[in-house]
Amino acid sequence: MNMNIEVNETDIQVKLCENSSARAVEELLRDGPLTLEMKDFAHMEKFGSLGAQLPANDEHITTEAGDVILSEGNLLVIYYAPNTWNFTRLGKVQNLSEKELKDVLGKGNIRATLTIEEKMEGKEER
């Protein structure tokens, strides 16, 4: 399952993980797009409230640019620099390099619109 995050007219494609947290995000988005106001934190991440408490599957990890994380059970976080903490992995950006991701996310706060994309059966990925 894939999630799309539209930021500044650019689509960020995220391959979702296989866990109850990612499935909860899918369910949240089945009713339609969700727009988040996301703040910058420490020049390494953008975060915004999902407006719901989701199941956590926290593990002690070090993030990489492109990691999409659930923090505190209700915050969606897009990392563009490393951080080590107890987080739940939701997915990974597929279509942008670290530099491209930093350029798209820019400086300061952003508005992000999340949608879910069901993979079409039998369609080959290139």
Side-chain angles (χ1 to χ4, degrees):
M1 189 69 64
N2 293 321
M3 177 173 62
N4 190 69
I5 304 174
E6 190 270 323
V7 176
N8 298 323
E9 300 179 8
T10 298
D11 289 332
I12 302 171
Q13 298 165 359
V14 178
K15 180 176 176 32
L16 292 175
C17 295
E18 293 289 329
N19 63 37
S20 61
S21 306
R23 285 190 292 278
V25 170
E26 289 174 30
E27 286 303 312
L28 200 59
L29 297 178
R30 289 213 189 276
D31 293 334
L34 179 63
T35 299
L36 308 180
E37 300 297 327
M38 301 186 80
K39 297 179 180 176
D40 191 84
F41 179 75
H43 306 292
M44 67 179 167
E45 68 182 59
K46 301 289 188 195
F47 74 95
S49 175
L50 290 165
Q53 197 67 30
L54 305 182
N57 292 283
D58 284 353
E59 55 184 310
H60 191 75
I61 56 174
T62 298
T63 62
E64 300 175 346
D67 282 341
V68 178
I69 299 290
L70 177 68
S71 180
E72 300 176 31
N74 67 345
L75 298 175
L76 180 90
V77 186
I78 306 169
Y79 275 92
Y80 55 92
N83 187 22
T84 302
W85 198 251
N86 292 325
F87 296 120
T88 296
R89 290 184 192 275
L90 289 177
K92 183 77 170 179
V93 172
Q94 300 295 300
N95 63 323
L96 299 174
S97 69
E98 181 177 346
K99 182 186 181 323
E100 290 169 330
L101 185 61
K102 284 180 183 179
D103 289 346
V104 168
L105 296 177
K107 296 188 184 333
N109 300 344
I110 61 169
R111 175 173 291 177
T113 301
L114 284 54
T115 53
I116 201 75
E117 298 177 358
E118 303 223 20
K119 257 190 177 171
M120 294 175 61
E121 293 299 318
K123 186 177 177 184
E124 288 185 29
E125 291 189 30
R126 296 181 189 262

